[in-house]
Amino acid sequence: MYDTIVELTVRNHPGVMSQITGLFARRNFNLEGILCRPEGDGGLSRMRLMIYTDERTEQLVKQLSKLYDVISVSIRQDRGPSRYRQLFEECWD
Amino acid sequence: MEMNGAQLIVKLLERQGIKIIWGIPGGATLPLYDALYQSPIRHILTRHEQGAGFMAQGMARTTGKAAVCTATSGPGATNLITALADAHLDSVPMVAITGQVPTALMGTDAFQEVDTYGLTLPVTKHNFLVKAAADLLTVIPEAFRIAESGRPGPVVVDVPKDVQTQKVRFGQWPEPGVPGPVRWRDNGVLERMAQMIRQSKRPMFYVGGGVVASGGADLLRSASQKNGIPVVSTLMGLGAMAYDDPLFLGMLGMHGTPVANLAMARADLIIALGIRFDDRVTGKMEAFCADAAVIHVDVDESEIGKIRNASLGVCGDAATVLTKILPRMDTFTREGWHGEIASLKSPTPAAAEIKNPFHPSGIIRYIGNRAPEDAIVATDVGQHQMWTAQAYPVRHPRSLLMSGGLGTMGFGVPVAMGAAFANPHKKIVCITGDGSFLMNLQELATLAEHELNITIVLMDNGHLGLVRQQQEMFYSNHVFASKFTRSPDFSAIAQGFGIRAWDAGINGSNRSAIDEALAFQGPSLVVVPIDGTTNVYPMVPPGASNLEMIQEA
Ligand SMILES: Cc1ncc(C[n+]2csc(CCOP(=O)(O)OP(=O)(O)O)c2C)c(N)n1
């Protein structure tokens, strides 16, 4: 089940996506979807990552928090995957 | 003030207190080298960038401060990667400054262009690609702050050539980067920790590199003595307790002492300080201290619960936590527990080897006893490394330098050199093997040039010994690609570089050669031909429980 949304505030620069996806790849975490957009003057971005919930979610949050480019990490319980999928549909056409 | 990016980097390094940097120049770092030309910073020209990276590590591992190396774009940067990955896995603070092709050429497959940012991302604590010279004012101090804060690690700063030549105007120098404040939240964990220690009948300290890195060795000894808690150590933690401390049971894990592994299995409380439950240490995880409660103390919160769930996780560095827990610990002797451990200490073959003057372990103990008390020893990777971990009389933290996490052959010579640059008044001993020695051989030229006080002890077994051992033990003695059918004349090679060499005779029978090499002030090599079929014992087979120790052939 992809039922967890991880919300990140990150420094916005061309390498930041590699920092995030690189962590998922090398630590063998799953990543099912990404939404990202710049915030304010563009110095920061907000990212929403859709993941399968498993016993490693807590470890994932800790690892994400360690990244220099990650300013904050939270799990959005109020924004379920259905909202997320809906957003995807809207972006797709 | 006005200057170009390269001058800015160099001035910021000076302000950071950097006295020495290791590297090799190239097209993309020529502006940087032009700025270094006018700087009091001493540049050491190595013969390979991996050597530069490991020399910086030698300084960082012995001082705890971030050390600096540099390389040009493309092959210069790729050559650094092994040293960066090694520093990353062993949490060694360093800052690597790499040149990059001019921004206008980036992404065009320009000459000597490689994606240094992408390549170094997974093997560094953090990396920067600097797009404007003015950014250096924040990036350079940040790089040092990141490298030295919390759990230390390597940081790469990739600087395109045009950024190095770009002029910057600025009013004020930024403050040098310093490690951030130690994060600490008590919320009752100390009281809970003290209570668990009080209730425990058979506690053990399981200590690692985090104790050494945080400067917690003295505190560990105090805590261990005060509450009668025996200590076992990982490879990276060796030196936190003196080898002959009555409360120290030695290294645990794959090639650990039997008593360390046996005592861990009987403990009811494991106080894990600055360790990460590495597989070489735990053996089969499900069988590792299965019945014990675990207090896991680490400065890196993500280590807590990463491999083994902790009964109590304490996020803080080992020294801080020990300082805070000491006054809450009772004075205890724990005679019963010590008696039980004493009964586990049967005479083992490995212990007998240390007493045998012609066994590699005995030779290494001899060297350790002959070298000055404050000598620093670096090793390469293989059997000689494990024998050193078991037999070298390590007395002080930061005096034993080993590639723990990455296990990098070629580590020994350049790390010993970095240690010598950082500790010019100390004797440095490098214990290496005939396989590893050849992996950074070119640095003998740098060594001879700087006349560093290093004695290289080459345990020459004509094999990639640790590989041969595993083939013998676990692959039906299919010794393949691990025996050298022909070996070079190592003494002649050293002499060719201008380094004095001795031959210690078969199994080190000619002790005076060892003595003379150690007494020599300056670079020296002593070749110790040893038997090609000797194995390291005890050995826990990979993936087996730590109680399944193979004790002898
Ligand atoms: C760069 C690198 N390549 C391969 C290995 C795998 N490996 C581990 S130990 C070893 C043998 C080392 O031989 P030597 O330096 O002669 O030491 P010995 O085991 O004989 O004491 C090898 C090949 C490694 N650790 N590092």
mmCIF file of all heavy atoms in Angstrom, chain B residues 50 82 380-387 403 406-411 431-439 458-470 481-482 484 530 532 534 536, ligand 1:
data_model
loop_
_atom_site.group_PDB
_atom_site.id
_atom_site.type_symbol
_atom_site.label_atom_id
_atom_site.label_comp_id
_atom_site.label_asym_id
_atom_site.label_seq_id
_atom_site.Cartn_x
_atom_site.Cartn_y
_atom_site.Cartn_z
ATOM 1 N N GLN B 50 44.507 9.722 -4.831
ATOM 2 C CA GLN B 50 44.068 8.873 -3.712
ATOM 3 C C GLN B 50 45.032 9.056 -2.539
ATOM 4 O O GLN B 50 44.621 9.064 -1.376
ATOM 5 C CB GLN B 50 44.006 7.396 -4.124
ATOM 6 C CG GLN B 50 43.342 6.551 -3.048
ATOM 7 C CD GLN B 50 43.350 5.069 -3.366
ATOM 8 O OE1 GLN B 50 43.949 4.277 -2.642
ATOM 9 N NE2 GLN B 50 42.694 4.686 -4.443
ATOM 10 N N THR B 82 37.870 6.957 -3.762
ATOM 11 C CA THR B 82 38.079 5.886 -2.782
ATOM 12 C C THR B 82 38.381 6.466 -1.402
ATOM 13 O O THR B 82 37.865 5.986 -0.384
ATOM 14 C CB THR B 82 39.225 4.967 -3.245
ATOM 15 O OG1 THR B 82 38.864 4.441 -4.520
ATOM 16 C CG2 THR B 82 39.453 3.829 -2.286
ATOM 17 N N ASP B 380 47.378 -1.553 6.621
ATOM 18 C CA ASP B 380 46.600 -1.726 5.406
ATOM 19 C C ASP B 380 45.452 -2.685 5.707
ATOM 20 O O ASP B 380 44.975 -2.716 6.837
ATOM 21 C CB ASP B 380 47.525 -2.201 4.270
ATOM 22 C CG ASP B 380 47.885 -1.018 3.378
ATOM 23 O OD1 ASP B 380 46.952 -0.450 2.812
ATOM 24 O OD2 ASP B 380 49.074 -0.658 3.280
ATOM 25 N N VAL B 381 45.030 -3.445 4.725
ATOM 26 C CA VAL B 381 43.858 -4.294 4.919
ATOM 27 C C VAL B 381 44.195 -5.740 4.592
ATOM 28 O O VAL B 381 44.783 -6.021 3.546
ATOM 29 C CB VAL B 381 42.684 -3.787 4.050
ATOM 30 C CG1 VAL B 381 41.537 -4.790 4.038
ATOM 31 C CG2 VAL B 381 42.203 -2.457 4.590
ATOM 32 N N GLY B 382 43.852 -6.616 5.488
ATOM 33 C CA GLY B 382 44.111 -8.031 5.278
ATOM 34 C C GLY B 382 44.450 -8.704 6.592
ATOM 35 O O GLY B 382 44.112 -8.199 7.667
ATOM 36 N N GLN B 383 45.129 -9.828 6.482
ATOM 37 C CA GLN B 383 45.489 -10.575 7.690
ATOM 38 C C GLN B 383 46.364 -9.747 8.621
ATOM 39 O O GLN B 383 46.170 -9.749 9.836
ATOM 40 C CB GLN B 383 46.249 -11.848 7.286
ATOM 41 C CG GLN B 383 45.392 -12.865 6.569
ATOM 42 C CD GLN B 383 46.191 -14.111 6.235
ATOM 43 O OE1 GLN B 383 47.294 -14.020 5.704
ATOM 44 N NE2 GLN B 383 45.641 -15.274 6.539
ATOM 45 N N HIS B 384 47.341 -9.037 8.028
ATOM 46 C CA HIS B 384 48.255 -8.251 8.876
ATOM 47 C C HIS B 384 47.481 -7.222 9.690
ATOM 48 O O HIS B 384 47.851 -6.876 10.801
ATOM 49 C CB HIS B 384 49.315 -7.561 8.001
ATOM 50 C CG HIS B 384 48.727 -6.564 7.061
ATOM 51 N ND1 HIS B 384 48.183 -6.901 5.841
ATOM 52 C CD2 HIS B 384 48.521 -5.236 7.192
ATOM 53 C CE1 HIS B 384 47.702 -5.815 5.259
ATOM 54 N NE2 HIS B 384 47.897 -4.792 6.057
ATOM 55 N N GLN B 385 46.364 -6.737 9.117
ATOM 56 C CA GLN B 385 45.521 -5.761 9.815
ATOM 57 C C GLN B 385 44.838 -6.428 11.019
ATOM 58 O O GLN B 385 44.803 -5.872 12.119
ATOM 59 C CB GLN B 385 44.465 -5.223 8.839
ATOM 60 C CG GLN B 385 43.454 -4.274 9.462
ATOM 61 C CD GLN B 385 42.264 -4.011 8.533
ATOM 62 O OE1 GLN B 385 41.937 -4.822 7.664
ATOM 63 N NE2 GLN B 385 41.622 -2.870 8.693
ATOM 64 N N MET B 386 44.306 -7.621 10.789
ATOM 65 C CA MET B 386 43.620 -8.323 11.883
ATOM 66 C C MET B 386 44.610 -8.729 12.974
ATOM 67 O O MET B 386 44.317 -8.627 14.165
ATOM 68 C CB MET B 386 42.882 -9.545 11.336
ATOM 69 C CG MET B 386 41.712 -9.180 10.447
ATOM 70 S SD MET B 386 40.518 -8.131 11.345
ATOM 71 C CE MET B 386 40.500 -6.672 10.329
ATOM 72 N N TRP B 387 45.788 -9.194 12.574
ATOM 73 C CA TRP B 387 46.808 -9.527 13.585
ATOM 74 C C TRP B 387 47.194 -8.276 14.376
ATOM 75 O O TRP B 387 47.424 -8.346 15.587
ATOM 76 C CB TRP B 387 48.049 -10.140 12.911
ATOM 77 C CG TRP B 387 47.843 -11.563 12.483
ATOM 78 C CD1 TRP B 387 47.224 -12.554 13.203
ATOM 79 C CD2 TRP B 387 48.267 -12.167 11.249
ATOM 80 N NE1 TRP B 387 47.235 -13.726 12.479
ATOM 81 C CE2 TRP B 387 47.871 -13.528 11.286
ATOM 82 C CE3 TRP B 387 48.940 -11.701 10.115
ATOM 83 C CZ2 TRP B 387 48.130 -14.414 10.244
ATOM 84 C CZ3 TRP B 387 49.204 -12.582 9.080
ATOM 85 C CH2 TRP B 387 48.797 -13.925 9.144
ATOM 86 N N SER B 403 41.419 1.310 8.083
ATOM 87 C CA SER B 403 40.242 1.458 7.256
ATOM 88 C C SER B 403 39.226 0.435 7.739
ATOM 89 O O SER B 403 39.318 -0.742 7.419
ATOM 90 C CB SER B 403 40.628 1.208 5.794
ATOM 91 O OG SER B 403 39.472 1.164 5.006
ATOM 92 N N LEU B 406 35.316 0.666 4.953
ATOM 93 C CA LEU B 406 35.500 0.357 3.528
ATOM 94 C C LEU B 406 36.537 -0.748 3.337
ATOM 95 O O LEU B 406 36.500 -1.448 2.338
ATOM 96 C CB LEU B 406 35.918 1.621 2.756
ATOM 97 C CG LEU B 406 35.771 1.560 1.228
ATOM 98 C CD1 LEU B 406 34.309 1.440 0.816
ATOM 99 C CD2 LEU B 406 36.399 2.766 0.552
ATOM 100 N N GLY B 407 37.448 -0.900 4.282
ATOM 101 C CA GLY B 407 38.476 -1.941 4.160
ATOM 102 C C GLY B 407 39.310 -1.743 2.911
ATOM 103 O O GLY B 407 39.404 -2.618 2.055
ATOM 104 N N THR B 408 39.958 -0.581 2.807
ATOM 105 C CA THR B 408 40.635 -0.197 1.580
ATOM 106 C C THR B 408 42.107 -0.580 1.576
ATOM 107 O O THR B 408 42.908 -0.021 2.337
ATOM 108 C CB THR B 408 40.557 1.338 1.404
ATOM 109 O OG1 THR B 408 39.217 1.756 1.658
ATOM 110 C CG2 THR B 408 40.973 1.746 0.011
ATOM 111 N N MET B 409 42.479 -1.514 0.714
ATOM 112 C CA MET B 409 43.913 -1.773 0.510
ATOM 113 C C MET B 409 44.552 -0.517 -0.082
ATOM 114 O O MET B 409 43.929 0.172 -0.898
ATOM 115 C CB MET B 409 44.116 -2.932 -0.459
ATOM 116 C CG MET B 409 43.672 -4.281 0.076
ATOM 117 S SD MET B 409 43.647 -5.525 -1.233
ATOM 118 C CE MET B 409 45.404 -5.743 -1.549
ATOM 119 N N GLY B 410 45.763 -0.218 0.326
ATOM 120 C CA GLY B 410 46.431 0.988 -0.138
ATOM 121 C C GLY B 410 46.276 2.141 0.838
ATOM 122 O O GLY B 410 46.834 3.218 0.646
ATOM 123 N N PHE B 411 45.531 1.906 1.918
ATOM 124 C CA PHE B 411 45.256 2.909 2.945
ATOM 125 C C PHE B 411 46.514 3.225 3.768
ATOM 126 O O PHE B 411 46.756 4.372 4.144
ATOM 127 C CB PHE B 411 44.161 2.312 3.835
ATOM 128 C CG PHE B 411 43.787 3.056 5.080
ATOM 129 C CD1 PHE B 411 42.708 3.939 5.074
ATOM 130 C CD2 PHE B 411 44.447 2.835 6.287
ATOM 131 C CE1 PHE B 411 42.312 4.587 6.238
ATOM 132 C CE2 PHE B 411 44.063 3.484 7.454
ATOM 133 C CZ PHE B 411 42.992 4.366 7.427
ATOM 134 N N ILE B 431 52.056 -0.906 9.241
ATOM 135 C CA ILE B 431 52.120 -2.359 9.059
ATOM 136 C C ILE B 431 51.293 -2.705 7.828
ATOM 137 O O ILE B 431 50.101 -2.385 7.761
ATOM 138 C CB ILE B 431 51.619 -3.089 10.320
ATOM 139 C CG1 ILE B 431 52.519 -2.708 11.506
ATOM 140 C CG2 ILE B 431 51.599 -4.603 10.106
ATOM 141 C CD1 ILE B 431 52.128 -3.304 12.827
ATOM 142 N N THR B 432 51.943 -3.306 6.840
ATOM 143 C CA THR B 432 51.253 -3.534 5.574
ATOM 144 C C THR B 432 51.491 -4.963 5.083
ATOM 145 O O THR B 432 52.239 -5.730 5.696
ATOM 146 C CB THR B 432 51.708 -2.483 4.527
ATOM 147 O OG1 THR B 432 50.963 -2.667 3.317
ATOM 148 C CG2 THR B 432 53.182 -2.587 4.210
ATOM 149 N N GLY B 433 50.815 -5.307 3.993
ATOM 150 C CA GLY B 433 50.991 -6.622 3.383
ATOM 151 C C GLY B 433 51.548 -6.453 1.980
ATOM 152 O O GLY B 433 51.515 -5.351 1.421
ATOM 153 N N ASP B 434 52.022 -7.545 1.395
ATOM 154 C CA ASP B 434 52.655 -7.403 0.079
ATOM 155 C C ASP B 434 51.637 -7.097 -1.012
ATOM 156 O O ASP B 434 51.994 -6.595 -2.078
ATOM 157 C CB ASP B 434 53.487 -8.645 -0.275
ATOM 158 C CG ASP B 434 52.726 -9.946 -0.129
ATOM 159 O OD1 ASP B 434 51.939 -10.073 0.834
ATOM 160 O OD2 ASP B 434 52.911 -10.836 -0.967
ATOM 161 N N GLY B 435 50.344 -7.359 -0.750
ATOM 162 C CA GLY B 435 49.313 -6.959 -1.702
ATOM 163 C C GLY B 435 49.003 -5.472 -1.568
ATOM 164 O O GLY B 435 49.115 -4.692 -2.519
ATOM 165 N N SER B 436 48.654 -5.052 -0.368
ATOM 166 C CA SER B 436 48.244 -3.667 -0.127
ATOM 167 C C SER B 436 49.346 -2.656 -0.433
ATOM 168 O O SER B 436 49.081 -1.560 -0.941
ATOM 169 C CB SER B 436 47.841 -3.493 1.340
ATOM 170 O OG SER B 436 46.762 -4.322 1.673
ATOM 171 N N PHE B 437 50.577 -3.038 -0.081
ATOM 172 C CA PHE B 437 51.700 -2.098 -0.203
ATOM 173 C C PHE B 437 51.811 -1.555 -1.626
ATOM 174 O O PHE B 437 52.107 -0.374 -1.839
ATOM 175 C CB PHE B 437 52.990 -2.828 0.195
ATOM 176 C CG PHE B 437 54.227 -1.975 0.184
ATOM 177 C CD1 PHE B 437 54.295 -0.815 0.933
ATOM 178 C CD2 PHE B 437 55.343 -2.356 -0.558
ATOM 179 C CE1 PHE B 437 55.448 -0.028 0.935
ATOM 180 C CE2 PHE B 437 56.495 -1.584 -0.559
ATOM 181 C CZ PHE B 437 56.549 -0.416 0.180
ATOM 182 N N LEU B 438 51.541 -2.427 -2.600
ATOM 183 C CA LEU B 438 51.706 -2.006 -3.993
ATOM 184 C C LEU B 438 50.585 -1.079 -4.455
ATOM 185 O O LEU B 438 50.668 -0.500 -5.526
ATOM 186 C CB LEU B 438 51.776 -3.242 -4.901
ATOM 187 C CG LEU B 438 53.037 -4.111 -4.715
ATOM 188 C CD1 LEU B 438 52.939 -5.378 -5.553
ATOM 189 C CD2 LEU B 438 54.287 -3.333 -5.101
ATOM 190 N N MET B 439 49.526 -0.968 -3.654
ATOM 191 C CA MET B 439 48.373 -0.190 -4.123
ATOM 192 C C MET B 439 48.541 1.321 -3.999
ATOM 193 O O MET B 439 47.775 2.059 -4.611
ATOM 194 C CB MET B 439 47.089 -0.648 -3.447
ATOM 195 C CG MET B 439 46.596 -1.961 -4.006
ATOM 196 S SD MET B 439 44.819 -2.060 -3.987
ATOM 197 C CE MET B 439 44.578 -3.792 -4.391
ATOM 198 N N LEU B 458 56.583 -4.579 6.322
ATOM 199 C CA LEU B 458 55.863 -5.286 5.266
ATOM 200 C C LEU B 458 55.820 -6.779 5.592
ATOM 201 O O LEU B 458 56.843 -7.462 5.543
ATOM 202 C CB LEU B 458 56.571 -5.047 3.929
ATOM 203 C CG LEU B 458 55.781 -5.400 2.668
ATOM 204 C CD1 LEU B 458 56.359 -4.663 1.488
ATOM 205 C CD2 LEU B 458 55.735 -6.871 2.374
ATOM 206 N N MET B 459 54.636 -7.255 5.952
ATOM 207 C CA MET B 459 54.465 -8.673 6.268
ATOM 208 C C MET B 459 54.260 -9.396 4.935
ATOM 209 O O MET B 459 53.155 -9.399 4.392
ATOM 210 C CB MET B 459 53.259 -8.885 7.185
ATOM 211 C CG MET B 459 53.229 -7.995 8.429
ATOM 212 S SD MET B 459 54.567 -8.329 9.600
ATOM 213 C CE MET B 459 53.935 -9.753 10.426
ATOM 214 N N ASP B 460 55.348 -9.965 4.439
ATOM 215 C CA ASP B 460 55.340 -10.507 3.077
ATOM 216 C C ASP B 460 55.018 -12.003 3.094
ATOM 217 O O ASP B 460 55.878 -12.828 3.393
ATOM 218 C CB ASP B 460 56.714 -10.252 2.439
ATOM 219 C CG ASP B 460 56.775 -10.727 0.999
ATOM 220 O OD1 ASP B 460 55.749 -11.207 0.476
ATOM 221 O OD2 ASP B 460 57.860 -10.612 0.395
ATOM 222 N N ASN B 461 53.760 -12.327 2.759
ATOM 223 C CA ASN B 461 53.367 -13.743 2.740
ATOM 224 C C ASN B 461 53.148 -14.261 1.318
ATOM 225 O O ASN B 461 52.633 -15.364 1.122
ATOM 226 C CB ASN B 461 52.119 -13.979 3.602
ATOM 227 C CG ASN B 461 50.938 -13.123 3.155
ATOM 228 O OD1 ASN B 461 50.998 -12.476 2.108
ATOM 229 N ND2 ASN B 461 49.876 -13.124 3.929
ATOM 230 N N GLY B 462 53.500 -13.443 0.327
ATOM 231 C CA GLY B 462 53.376 -13.904 -1.056
ATOM 232 C C GLY B 462 51.944 -14.126 -1.516
ATOM 233 O O GLY B 462 51.706 -14.712 -2.573
ATOM 234 N N HIS B 463 50.993 -13.637 -0.730
ATOM 235 C CA HIS B 463 49.576 -13.865 -1.051
ATOM 236 C C HIS B 463 48.750 -12.622 -0.740
ATOM 237 O O HIS B 463 49.177 -11.762 0.021
ATOM 238 C CB HIS B 463 48.996 -14.985 -0.173
ATOM 239 C CG HIS B 463 49.424 -16.355 -0.534
ATOM 240 N ND1 HIS B 463 50.620 -16.893 -0.108
ATOM 241 C CD2 HIS B 463 48.809 -17.320 -1.276
ATOM 242 C CE1 HIS B 463 50.727 -18.136 -0.572
ATOM 243 N NE2 HIS B 463 49.642 -18.418 -1.292
ATOM 244 N N LEU B 464 47.552 -12.628 -1.304
ATOM 245 C CA LEU B 464 46.477 -11.806 -0.779
ATOM 246 C C LEU B 464 45.907 -12.653 0.359
ATOM 247 O O LEU B 464 44.958 -13.420 0.196
ATOM 248 C CB LEU B 464 45.430 -11.535 -1.859
ATOM 249 C CG LEU B 464 45.944 -10.741 -3.071
ATOM 250 C CD1 LEU B 464 44.941 -10.765 -4.211
ATOM 251 C CD2 LEU B 464 46.272 -9.304 -2.667
ATOM 252 N N GLY B 465 46.560 -12.536 1.509
ATOM 253 C CA GLY B 465 46.406 -13.539 2.551
ATOM 254 C C GLY B 465 44.979 -13.752 3.035
ATOM 255 O O GLY B 465 44.536 -14.889 3.208
ATOM 256 N N LEU B 466 44.254 -12.667 3.255
ATOM 257 C CA LEU B 466 42.921 -12.825 3.826
ATOM 258 C C LEU B 466 41.977 -13.486 2.814
ATOM 259 O O LEU B 466 41.071 -14.226 3.188
ATOM 260 C CB LEU B 466 42.375 -11.460 4.272
ATOM 261 C CG LEU B 466 41.281 -11.506 5.336
ATOM 262 C CD1 LEU B 466 41.725 -12.241 6.584
ATOM 263 C CD2 LEU B 466 40.847 -10.088 5.711
ATOM 264 N N VAL B 467 42.216 -13.230 1.534
ATOM 265 C CA VAL B 467 41.407 -13.879 0.500
ATOM 266 C C VAL B 467 41.753 -15.371 0.462
ATOM 267 O O VAL B 467 40.865 -16.233 0.453
ATOM 268 C CB VAL B 467 41.651 -13.228 -0.876
ATOM 269 C CG1 VAL B 467 40.942 -14.004 -1.982
ATOM 270 C CG2 VAL B 467 41.185 -11.775 -0.874
ATOM 271 N N ARG B 468 43.063 -15.663 0.470
ATOM 272 C CA ARG B 468 43.482 -17.063 0.458
ATOM 273 C C ARG B 468 42.897 -17.810 1.641
ATOM 274 O O ARG B 468 42.412 -18.932 1.502
ATOM 275 C CB ARG B 468 45.020 -17.164 0.492
ATOM 276 C CG ARG B 468 45.537 -18.585 0.301
ATOM 277 C CD ARG B 468 46.890 -18.842 0.942
ATOM 278 N NE ARG B 468 46.934 -18.471 2.352
ATOM 279 C CZ ARG B 468 46.368 -19.166 3.342
ATOM 280 N NH1 ARG B 468 45.717 -20.282 3.105
ATOM 281 N NH2 ARG B 468 46.438 -18.724 4.586
ATOM 282 N N GLN B 469 42.887 -17.175 2.799
ATOM 283 C CA GLN B 469 42.344 -17.818 3.999
ATOM 284 C C GLN B 469 40.868 -18.172 3.814
ATOM 285 O O GLN B 469 40.433 -19.258 4.157
ATOM 286 C CB GLN B 469 42.520 -16.893 5.212
ATOM 287 C CG GLN B 469 41.721 -17.343 6.432
ATOM 288 C CD GLN B 469 42.109 -16.632 7.723
ATOM 289 O OE1 GLN B 469 43.058 -15.860 7.772
ATOM 290 N NE2 GLN B 469 41.367 -16.918 8.785
ATOM 291 N N GLN B 470 40.112 -17.248 3.242
ATOM 292 C CA GLN B 470 38.676 -17.520 3.067
ATOM 293 C C GLN B 470 38.459 -18.607 2.021
ATOM 294 O O GLN B 470 37.541 -19.428 2.144
ATOM 295 C CB GLN B 470 37.941 -16.229 2.685
ATOM 296 C CG GLN B 470 38.068 -15.181 3.781
ATOM 297 C CD GLN B 470 36.774 -14.424 4.047
ATOM 298 O OE1 GLN B 470 35.688 -14.892 3.722
ATOM 299 N NE2 GLN B 470 36.884 -13.251 4.634
ATOM 300 N N ALA B 481 43.670 -16.854 -7.734
ATOM 301 C CA ALA B 481 43.880 -15.410 -7.869
ATOM 302 C C ALA B 481 44.248 -14.751 -6.549
ATOM 303 O O ALA B 481 43.940 -13.582 -6.323
ATOM 304 C CB ALA B 481 42.645 -14.732 -8.473
ATOM 305 N N SER B 482 44.842 -15.518 -5.663
ATOM 306 C CA SER B 482 45.234 -14.924 -4.389
ATOM 307 C C SER B 482 46.691 -15.258 -4.042
ATOM 308 O O SER B 482 47.171 -14.878 -2.982
ATOM 309 C CB SER B 482 44.302 -15.403 -3.275
ATOM 310 O OG SER B 482 44.324 -16.811 -3.195
ATOM 311 N N PHE B 484 50.628 -14.862 -5.340
ATOM 312 C CA PHE B 484 51.512 -14.203 -6.302
ATOM 313 C C PHE B 484 52.561 -15.218 -6.742
ATOM 314 O O PHE B 484 53.268 -15.778 -5.907
ATOM 315 C CB PHE B 484 52.206 -12.993 -5.677
ATOM 316 C CG PHE B 484 51.248 -11.926 -5.202
ATOM 317 C CD1 PHE B 484 51.209 -11.547 -3.865
ATOM 318 C CD2 PHE B 484 50.385 -11.291 -6.089
ATOM 319 C CE1 PHE B 484 50.333 -10.568 -3.425
ATOM 320 C CE2 PHE B 484 49.501 -10.309 -5.651
ATOM 321 C CZ PHE B 484 49.475 -9.949 -4.320
ATOM 322 N N ILE B 530 56.934 -13.880 5.872
ATOM 323 C CA ILE B 530 56.230 -14.782 6.800
ATOM 324 C C ILE B 530 55.643 -15.938 6.009
ATOM 325 O O ILE B 530 55.525 -15.885 4.785
ATOM 326 C CB ILE B 530 55.115 -14.049 7.601
ATOM 327 C CG1 ILE B 530 54.117 -13.366 6.653
ATOM 328 C CG2 ILE B 530 55.723 -13.037 8.554
ATOM 329 C CD1 ILE B 530 52.889 -12.816 7.348
ATOM 330 N N GLY B 532 53.297 -18.380 4.145
ATOM 331 C CA GLY B 532 52.189 -18.014 3.258
ATOM 332 C C GLY B 532 50.879 -18.696 3.567
ATOM 333 O O GLY B 532 49.867 -18.410 2.920
ATOM 334 N N THR B 534 49.605 -19.194 6.921
ATOM 335 C CA THR B 534 49.095 -18.942 8.277
ATOM 336 C C THR B 534 47.744 -18.221 8.195
ATOM 337 O O THR B 534 47.573 -17.323 7.379
ATOM 338 C CB THR B 534 50.107 -18.074 9.064
ATOM 339 O OG1 THR B 534 51.392 -18.677 8.953
ATOM 340 C CG2 THR B 534 49.728 -17.961 10.522
ATOM 341 N N VAL B 536 44.330 -16.240 10.187
ATOM 342 C CA VAL B 536 43.955 -15.437 11.351
ATOM 343 C C VAL B 536 42.872 -16.188 12.120
ATOM 344 O O VAL B 536 41.830 -16.539 11.549
ATOM 345 C CB VAL B 536 43.381 -14.066 10.926
ATOM 346 C CG1 VAL B 536 43.007 -13.254 12.161
ATOM 347 C CG2 VAL B 536 44.361 -13.301 10.067
HETATM 348 C C1 LIG C 1 41.125 -2.068 -2.850
HETATM 349 C C2 LIG C 1 40.792 -3.438 -2.389
HETATM 350 N N1 LIG C 1 40.702 -4.462 -3.279
HETATM 351 C C3 LIG C 1 40.405 -5.714 -2.859
HETATM 352 C C4 LIG C 1 40.178 -5.968 -1.538
HETATM 353 C C5 LIG C 1 39.836 -7.387 -1.080
HETATM 354 N N2 LIG C 1 40.854 -7.868 -0.144
HETATM 355 C C6 LIG C 1 40.691 -7.864 1.187
HETATM 356 S S1 LIG C 1 42.023 -8.394 2.032
HETATM 357 C C7 LIG C 1 42.852 -8.692 0.593
HETATM 358 C C8 LIG C 1 44.244 -9.240 0.627
HETATM 359 C C9 LIG C 1 45.229 -8.253 1.141
HETATM 360 O O1 LIG C 1 46.518 -8.768 0.901
HETATM 361 P P1 LIG C 1 47.782 -8.193 1.644
HETATM 362 O O2 LIG C 1 47.777 -6.710 1.601
HETATM 363 O O3 LIG C 1 48.992 -8.860 1.126
HETATM 364 O O4 LIG C 1 47.527 -8.581 3.154
HETATM 365 P P2 LIG C 1 47.478 -10.026 3.858
HETATM 366 O O5 LIG C 1 46.040 -10.431 3.940
HETATM 367 O O6 LIG C 1 48.281 -10.968 3.015
HETATM 368 O O7 LIG C 1 48.067 -9.765 5.188
HETATM 369 C C10 LIG C 1 42.068 -8.373 -0.524
HETATM 370 C C11 LIG C 1 42.474 -8.554 -1.923
HETATM 371 C C12 LIG C 1 40.265 -4.874 -0.646
HETATM 372 N N3 LIG C 1 40.033 -5.005 0.661
HETATM 373 N N4 LIG C 1 40.589 -3.628 -1.085
#
